[in-house]
Amino acid sequence: MRQRLLVLGSTGSVGDSVLDVVARHPEAFKVQGLTAHRRIEKLYRQCLQFRPAIAVVSEPQHAIELQAHLLAANVPTEVLCGEDALCAAARESTCETVVAAIVGGAGLLPTLSAARAGKKILLANKEALVMSGALFIETAASAGATVIPLDSEHNAIFQCLQGCQGAFDGVDRLILTASGGPFRDRPVDSLHEVTPDQACAHPNWSMGRKISVDCATMMNKGLEIIEAHWLFNLPADRIEALIHPQSVVHSMVVFRDQSVMAQLGNPDMRMPVAHALAYPLRIESGVLPLDLTKVGGLTFEHPDVQRFPCLGLALQALAAGTQASAALNAANEVAVEAFLGKRIRYTHIPSVIEQTLQRIELPGGCSLDDILALDQQARRLAREAVHLRRLNT
């Protein structure tokens, strides 16, 4: 039987990679459902190609528009809308595998719904773990859900650990690699002049604008360290990040005997996608073969904390606990949105986050209600910080 998939966030860059791999193996995979936020025209084209049973969008007017186009094209896809429909789709019994590729905190509830339903979850939405930590891990374990990381770094670690008897007990530390983004060599005193388009011009990877900005600030790496802490059950002081401009080594595992295992490949998301979709088998991904003779040298360096203050803020949040990590994520989303909207400067992003973390009142509990309330409080404080930055600029 074909593996039936729900792709949460199908119109984003990860969704593109997933559907590209799926299209190469129609005998192995069936797209049962697709979801998108606002990119309705792209979702319509995906529905034409894959003819899913359902499609879920955020707004009622978009649902009406999409349903009309699909009916006119004689495509029998049922169009639903809203967060409740998204969560219902994630726990629907007719799909075995849920690809969690929604960007940001919006992905938490549907991904958690998939975990409660015991699904196989291909996790690209790192915010689900950043925001809920132990709650997500415990929910998945109690429901018998399988979580396979889809981010290239975490998938690389997952691959390195396969076939290693007692691997988790024998792990000394994890090394996540980062390209360093477009400003790795740019003078720090000129970063206040960075434009959104410059921040989104990633040298190696093709991604959405929000994630591209996170890579430029290295907040993305900070969130990935938090995610790795929960995925692989290691403390923060045994997880580190190294800048690796070539983006060929996707991550490494150092074992107690100081053996180092690394996963290498061209910087193409279809590689971890193909691995996760077919695990424990291997299938063709469409990725070009890696030619190390053309790559030349592989270099590594420690991140400059002055250049990348967001990385330090993420590590501080991880040390402070799940609530602080959830607040960090919310503040970062608000700050990045404000930067992309040209309401604050690039260098204001870490200051908005830091001010939010200083002002927020962290709850005593880590229930889902606590997390959602904290998320809203952090977003309000971050918006206030953005407003103050605009007044003082």
Side-chain angles (χ1 to χ4, degrees):
M1 289 183 60
R2 293 190 294 173
Q3 187 178 163
R4 293 168 296 185
L5 310 173
L6 168 69
V7 185
L8 300 172
S10 65
T11 58
S13 59
V14 174
D16 285 341
S17 295
V18 170
L19 294 180
D20 182 274
V21 174
V22 166
R24 295 171 187 273
H25 302 276
E27 76 292 345
F29 305 107
K30 164 63 179 172
V31 177
Q32 194 73 14
L34 299 171
T35 84
H37 183 38
R38 292 194 180 96
R39 303 176 73 178
I40 305 305
E41 289 185 8
K42 185 172 183 178
L43 181 60
Y44 169 67
R45 294 194 298 272
Q46 291 176 343
C47 289
L48 286 180
Q49 180 178 0
F50 294 98
R51 304 179 81 85
I54 62 168
V56 185
V57 297
S58 298
E59 303 295 335
Q61 64 269 27
H62 289 156
I64 294 170
E65 175 187 343
L66 178 61
Q67 190 73 82
H69 287 314
L70 291 172
L71 286 173
N74 200 30
V75 176
T77 299
E78 179 184 8
V79 180
L80 307 170
C81 87
E83 189 172 73
D84 289 345
L86 201 61
C87 292
R91 61 177 178 264
E92 171 58 50
S93 61
T94 57
C95 71
E96 300 92 1
T97 300
V98 175
V99 180
I102 294 175
V103 175
L108 172 61
L109 290 180
T111 307
L112 200 54
S113 294
R116 288 195 185 109
K119 302 293 185 180
K120 174 184 175 183
I121 302 170
L122 309 189
L123 187 63
N125 174 258
K126 61 181 67 64
E127 291 84 359
L129 274 172
V130 170
M131 293 176 68
S132 65
L135 174 65
F136 181 88
I137 294 296
E138 291 167 3
T139 299
S142 64
T146 300
V147 180
I148 300 178
L150 209 54
D151 273 342
S152 61
E153 297 82 359
H154 303 92
N155 184 266
I157 292 169
F158 184 82
Q159 291 191 50
C160 289
L161 291 173
Q162 298 311 300
C164 301
Q165 294 296 325
F168 281 72
D169 290 337
V171 171
D172 181 61
R173 66 189 189 277
L174 307 178
I175 301 174
L176 306 182
T177 56
S179 71
F183 310 130
R184 181 175 61 89
D185 297 319
R186 179 168 175 150
V188 173
D189 60 7
S190 73
L191 290 176
H192 68 284
E193 301 172 351
V194 164
T195 67
D197 285 344
Q198 289 171 334
C200 291
H202 196 282
N204 299 334
W205 294 91
S206 176
M207 302 174 293
R209 289 174 71 81
K210 191 269 181 182
I211 298 177
S212 295
V213 174
D214 283 349
C215 288
T217 66
M218 278 195 76
M219 175 58 84
N220 201 48
K221 207 54 50 181
L223 298 178
E224 287 172 2
I225 288 175
I226 298 172
E227 183 182 8
H229 161 71
W230 292 110
L231 279 173
F232 304 111
N233 194 29
L234 283 181
D237 61 1
R238 291 168 60 187
I239 308 170
E240 63 179 293
L242 289 179
I243 290 179
H244 169 53
Q246 296 81 19
S247 296
V248 169
V249 177
H250 297 301
S251 276
M252 294 172 271
V253 176
V254 183
F255 294 93
R256 286 185 180 172
D257 60 4
Q258 297 311 302
S259 297
V260 181
M261 293 189 68
Q263 188 266 333
L264 283 70
N266 281 314
D268 190 321
M269 272 301 297
R270 291 177 297 175
M271 184 169 50
V273 162
H275 171 266
L277 281 171
Y279 178 79
L281 305 177
R282 296 277 183 168
I283 59 174
E284 190 271 331
S285 66
V287 178
L288 293 174
L290 176 64
D291 187 341
L292 288 171
T293 63
K294 291 182 179 179
V295 172
L298 301 177
T299 60
F300 302 89
E301 59 191 65
H302 290 290
D304 178 357
V305 293
Q306 184 181 4
R307 183 182 301 277
F308 303 113
C310 284
L311 178 60
L313 290 171
L315 295 177
Q316 291 172 27
L318 174 55
T322 299
Q323 300 97 326
S325 296
L328 170 96
N329 177 73
N332 179 64
E333 288 189 20
V334 170
V336 171
E337 181 183 21
F339 166 66
L340 289 173
K342 300 182 179 180
R343 300 194 301 277
I344 59 172
R345 292 183 180 272
Y346 175 80
T347 47
H348 290 159
I349 294 173
S351 60
V352 167
I353 297 167
E354 185 172 23
Q355 184 176 338
T356 301
L357 293 176
Q358 289 171 347
R359 293 183 60 200
I360 198 159
E361 297 179 8
L362 299 179
C366 288
S367 70
L368 181 57
D369 287 342
D370 290 331
I371 292 166
L372 295 178
L374 176 64
D375 178 79
Q376 291 305 307
Q377 180 193 0
R379 290 175 190 275
R380 175 179 59 79
L381 293 173
R383 286 191 288 268
E384 291 176 5
V386 165
H387 183 64
L388 287 174
R389 283 291 172 186
R390 293 187 68 189
L391 291 177
N392 297 328
T393 304

